[in-house]
Amino acid sequence: MGGSVEMDPTMIHVCLQTEGAPTPGGHEVGERWVCSCGDNFVYREGFNRAGYPSLEWWPAPAQPVVPQPRSAKGRRLLFGPRKG
């Protein structure tokens, strides 16, 4: 097989139980972790299944990419530079 690592289709991938997963405690609130499969997690306060507040790793949307302004060089103006 060509160098790619494939997971056994009968196994379930549980991100927070993988080898490189962070430990349950000792993290700053707001700290992020990205699993090798691409899932994002954030360490924050939330409510567990029993309804009590707890600090845990929770699924999070991917961090948005902040767009960078384009450089002015190489950009053609439709009507030319402003005059006057």
Side-chain angles (χ1 to χ4, degrees), residues 19-63:
E19 187 177 317
T23 57
H27 299 279
E28 291 184 29
V29 173
E31 186 176 335
R32 288 183 163 265
W33 175 70
V34 180
C35 181
S36 61
C37 71
D39 286 345
N40 289 275
F41 293 88
V42 64
Y43 191 72
R44 66 171 176 85
E45 186 175 19
F47 294 95
N48 60 21
R49 291 183 182 186
Y52 296 102
S54 64
L55 281 171
E56 296 179 20
W57 288 100
W58 295 88
Q63 285 186 317

